[in-house]
Amino acid sequence: MANSSNVTLVGGRRPGPSSVVGTSWRGRGELALAAVAAAFTLAQLALVRPGMGLGWDETVYVSQISAHAPPAFFSAPRARGVSLLVAPITSWSSSTPLLRVYLALLSGLGLYLALRVWRGLFPARVLALAGALFASLWVTVFYGPQAMPNYWVAIGALICVGCFLRARADRYDRADRCDRADRCDRTDRCDRAALGGVGAGAALMAWMRPTDAIWTVLPLLALLVCVRGRRRPALLTALVAGLVAGAGEWVVEAYVSYGGLGQRLSDASHIQGGLGWNIAVGDQLRSLGGRALCRPCTGALPGVAVMAWWFVLPLLAALGLAVAVRARRTAATLVPLACATTAAVPYLFLIGYAAPRFLLPAYALLAIPVADAFVHLVTVPGRAWRPAAVALVALVLAGHLAVQYAVLEKAVDRTTAAHRGWARTAGELHRLGVRPPCLLTGSEAIPIAFYTGCSSAQTSGHNANATRAGILRTAARIPVAVLAPANGSPPAYARGWPSHRYGAVRIHVAPAPAPAAGEGGRG
C-alpha cells in the first residue's frame, strides 16, 4: 500500500480524502509517530534506570548467550526469542546498563515501525495517540527495556494485525499488482510489504511466545476460513509460514530436550499451575499496583485510582467500535478488538495467577480503537461543547498519566532493591570462596547464581535439573553452596556444611575438597 490515507478498509466503502483531513504521512504523520517513539525511549532511560539489574526471568534468558555466567535451566514454557534478541550485547558484554540502553532503543524503534504499519487505516493523530496511550502505561515503560518477551509479542501483534488488514484491503491480486513502477503511485492500493508484514509479525510473536501467538491470531485464522477473498490463500500462507518460522525452533527443541511436543505442552501447563478454567481477573487487578508477579495472588486490591483505567478501557474500546461503524471502517477496528480479546483470554480465565506484562499484547491492540474514541470525543461535539470536551479528556489523561508513573516509581524502587540484594549476596559468596566455576542450589539460586557467575541446580520443583548425588559429586570438584532462608533448613545432605548468615539468607558452603598433590586449595 502506498503512503495514502485514501484507503478502502475491509468491510467498508472507499472513503474520500475528507475522511482523514489533516494527515500527511510524508510530514506530520511520520513526525508524530517518531516523536512518540522517541519519548517512549527517553522515558525508559530516565524512569526505569539502566542500572536496575536483571530480574529472575531475565537472568534465565540472558544466561543462554552470556559472557558472564553459564546457562540456567530453561523450563518448558520458555522460548529462545529473547535470548537471541539480546545476543548482540550479551554475547560479549556483561554490562546490564548497556543491555538496558540497547533494549530501550530497540523497543522505541519497534513501536515506531509497528504504528507505521497502520498508516492509511487510521488518521495519523489517532495512531500517534494510540502509541502514546500504550507507551505511557507503567507496565509498558517498565518492561520495554527488559529482556522479557511480552512487549515484543505486543509489537508483533500490532505488525501482524495491521498488515493483515492492509493486505485484505488491497483490491489487486498478485498477478495484477504493480508489474511496473509507474503503475503504483501513492494513491494506488498496491501494498508490496503487507503480506511479508503478516508473516514477520506472526514470526516475531511465535519467536517470543508460541502459545501467545496462536491465541492472538485465532480471529485472523477464523476470518480467513469463514470469509472468501482473492487474497485468502496468500494471507493464509503468510500467516501460517510466519507461525511455523517463529515456533519451529521451539517445536524441534521439544522433541530434542523435552520428550516431544505434547510432553512440552503438558510440562508448560503444569509449571503454570495447570491450564483450565481459572478466573484470574481479580489477580490481574491486584497486579496493577506494581507487582511483577502475583503468585500466589493475595492481599488487598490497589486503590480505585490505580484500577479505574482498566475498567474504562473496554468502554472506550466499545465507543471506538461505534465510531468505526459510523465511519464505515468496521473491520479495521473490530479485527484488533477480536485479537486483543483472544490474546487476553488465557491470562484472564485459564491460569491461576497473574503478571501485568501478560496483557501487553491486548493493551497494544486496544490502544488504537481507544485512541479513536478519544479523538472522536474531542472533535465531534458541537462548537459550544468542544472546549469542555477537550478540557475533560486532557484532565482525564493527565490524571491517568500521574497514576501510571506513581505506580512505575514504586515498581522500579522495589525491583531495584531486590536486584541489589541478589548482587550483595553474590558478593558475600565471592568472599566465602564461592567463585566461578561454582554451583548454587536452593532458594533463589537461579538469579543469585547469575550474579555470582555460577551454574545453578535444583533437585525438585519446576526447575529441577539435578540430583543429590550429582550435586555432591560436583562439590568434590568445584565450590558449591546451598542457599536457604535465614529461618529455614537446608537439604539433608548440606546440614553438616559450614553455615553463614547474610541478611535474610543462610549460606551453606560445601567443605573444600582436599587438593591433589601439587595443587593448592580454592584460594
Side-chain angles (χ1 to χ4, degrees), residues 59-66 69-74 80 83 90 450:
T59 64
V60 175
Y61 290 119
V62 169
S63 70
Q64 305 305 308
I65 306 177
S66 174
F73 176 72
F74 207 73
R80 298 191 180 271
S83 299
T90 61
F450 180 85

Side-chain angles (χ1 to χ4, degrees), residues 80-100:
R80 298 191 180 271
V82 172
S83 299
L84 296 176
L85 184 74
V86 302
I89 301 297
T90 61
S91 60
W92 61 273
S93 173
S94 61
S95 171
T96 299
L98 179 61
L99 178 61
R100 293 278 188 238

Side-chain angles (χ1 to χ4, degrees), residues 271-304:
I271 289 171
Q272 293 173 310
L275 296 181
W277 184 249
N278 290 294
I279 300 178
V281 176
D283 296 343
Q284 286 291 346
L285 285 172
R286 289 182 176 87
S287 74
L288 293 178
R291 299 173 66 174
L293 181 64
C294 199
R295 185 181 190 182
C297 207
T298 57
L301 292 170
V304 174

Side-chain angles (χ1 to χ4, degrees), residues 336-355:
L337 284 177
C339 292
T341 301
T342 56
V345 162
Y347 295 116
L348 292 177
F349 303 110
L350 297 181
I351 64 174
Y353 65 98

Side-chain angles (χ1 to χ4, degrees), residues 411-430:
V412 169
D413 289 345
R414 181 168 55 249
T415 303
T416 301
H419 296 176
R420 287 176 178 170
W422 291 339
R424 287 192 294 268
T425 302
E428 178 67 8
L429 284 162
H430 287 162

Side-chain angles (χ1 to χ4, degrees), residues 39 67 74 137 139 181 203 218 258 303 345 415 453 474 488 501 523:
F74 207 73
L137 293 175
V139 65
L218 280 178
Y258 296 89
V345 162
T415 303
T474 302
R501 171 81 178 262

Side-chain angles (χ1 to χ4, degrees), residues 19 125-126 319-320 322-324 326-327 329 371-390 393:
S19 63
R125 59 189 175 186
V126 170
L319 176 58
V323 171
R326 293 187 61 184
R329 45 180 168 81
D372 204 15
F374 272 124
V375 170
H376 173 77
L377 289 173
V378 300
T379 57
V380 166
R383 186 172 301 175
W385 290 98
R386 187 171 300 171
V390 171
V393 169

